[in-house]
Amino acid sequence: MSPGLEILQKLREEHFNKETERLLESHPYLKAAKDGTLTLSQRRAFAREQYSIQLSDATSFAFLAGHKTFSPATLAGAKVPDPVKSSASSKEESGTTADLFQFLLGGEVYAAPLLLAYAKSVGLDGEASLQQSSNVNSDQYLISAKAQAYPSYWARLALSGQRAAGAAACAVNFPAWGDMCRRLSEALSSNSEYGYTDGANDEGLAFINFFASPIEDLDLMAAAIIEEEGTSYEELVEPVRLLQEYEIMFWDAIFEKR
């Protein structure tokens, strides 16, 4: 096992990660979804918060991939820039590995229209229904500081160029996010109350299903960056712990939107 993979394994064994898994396993948002009691407001909150998170995360991933001028107003129709030439991209060309953040950027852009399909399934048709108003006194939905702490931390990692910290956080956090999406998809598709007549294959669930799918070679891509940066285990613990806590805060925030 390579040094980077050993670090990831050790991070997953940390108490904070086990506690994150425990809290997500019993999270009330998923319990309500399974019971058929998840409200329309709570389902819409998922779409509205994710719309802002996606745009922010895509910009952060682009920055970490070397695309410092990538800042579209919307991901709809956005073009993923070509990989920046680096030692990592040289490895990609030789077939060893791909740059993790270039890969993640492509995923966010691909998923953007899928989120619009989910939003439409809960009565939010078009991007205008998801975008924030400049009038804070309006009746429009206001995104939650608690939910947006997650992408805000990614922006912090990106701005400070912490590629290794971001890579480690991805490797530990994304499986947790993916498992929540998998369970959410199962709950929504198996309850007729939510209206997904095509079950798990309903186009309204494509966004959730996309992120529910495990990322092939995630650990290898993350480990490659950790080793390239020469970052120690001790330097990675705090960023990973914080991102896991922000993951819980996201689900707490949308559950509160009853």
Side-chain angles (χ1 to χ4, degrees):
M1 184 181 293
S2 73
L5 291 175
E6 288 180 356
I7 285 175
L8 295 180
Q9 180 176 333
K10 190 175 178 182
L11 286 167
R12 292 192 175 110
E13 293 170 354
E14 283 279 357
H15 173 74
F16 70 77
N17 189 52
K18 299 296 184 182
E19 180 66 6
T20 297
E21 292 175 349
R22 185 187 69 80
L23 291 172
L24 293 177
E25 176 67 27
S26 59
H27 200 279
Y29 193 92
L30 270 293
K31 183 179 186 302
K34 185 176 181 180
D35 293 343
T37 59
L38 200 63
T39 69
L40 181 60
S41 293
Q42 289 169 320
R43 286 178 279 140
R44 286 179 170 179
F46 179 90
R48 285 164 160 156
E49 299 293 347
Q50 278 297 317
Y51 180 80
S52 293
I53 289 171
Q54 259 213 302
L55 182 57
S56 180
D57 281 357
T59 305
S60 296
F61 296 154
F63 200 93
L64 287 165
H67 308 297
K68 297 185 178 181
T69 60
F70 181 87
S71 56
T74 172
L75 291 184
K79 182 180 183 300
V80 179
D82 293 331
V84 173
K85 295 296 182 181
S86 65
S87 57
S89 60
S90 296
K91 289 180 181 179
E92 180 181 351
E93 289 171 1
S94 67
T96 303
T97 188
D99 183 75
L100 174 61
F101 298 108
Q102 180 75 24
F103 177 85
L104 296 178
L105 171 59
E108 294 293 348
V109 172
Y110 174 83
L114 306 183
L115 179 59
L116 298 182
Y118 171 77
K120 186 175 181 179
S121 77
V122 292
L124 301 172
D125 198 358
E127 282 194 275
S129 65
L130 298 172
Q131 292 167 339
Q132 290 294 289
S133 169
S134 59
N135 179 11
V136 297
N137 295 316
S138 72
D139 293 330
Q140 186 177 357
Y141 180 95
L142 299 177
I143 56 174
S144 163
K146 184 184 288 188
Q148 297 302 314
Y150 181 96
S152 297
Y153 189 66
W154 266 115
R156 176 178 163 184
L157 292 176
L159 188 61
S160 55
Q162 295 187 61
R163 276 173 52 87
C170 280
V172 177
N173 170 252
F174 281 22
W177 157 247
D179 189 58
M180 290 293 280
C181 287
R182 176 188 62 79
R183 292 167 58 208
L184 180 58
S185 175
E186 289 175 356
L188 294 178
S189 63
S190 62
N191 279 280
S192 59
E193 294 89 342
Y194 302 127
Y196 295 105
T197 54
D198 290 332
N201 296 319
D202 198 288
E203 66 175 355
L205 296 176
F207 176 85
I208 298 172
N209 289 334
F210 174 74
F211 285 107
S213 302
I215 299 175
E216 186 176 357
D217 293 334
L218 172 61
D219 282 7
L220 292 177
M221 290 188 285
I225 292 175
I226 293 169
E227 292 166 15
E228 183 180 349
E229 299 283 314
T231 310
S232 70
Y233 172 79
E234 290 73 20
E235 293 173 288
L236 299 176
V237 173
E238 182 177 282
V240 175
R241 176 182 63 80
L242 287 173
L243 201 68
Q244 289 295 71
E245 291 186 15
Y246 293 140
E247 177 74 31
I248 296 167
M249 288 169 62
F250 165 76
W251 293 101
D252 288 349
I254 60 174
F255 179 70
E256 291 166 4
K257 297 291 185 178
R258 286 172 282 188

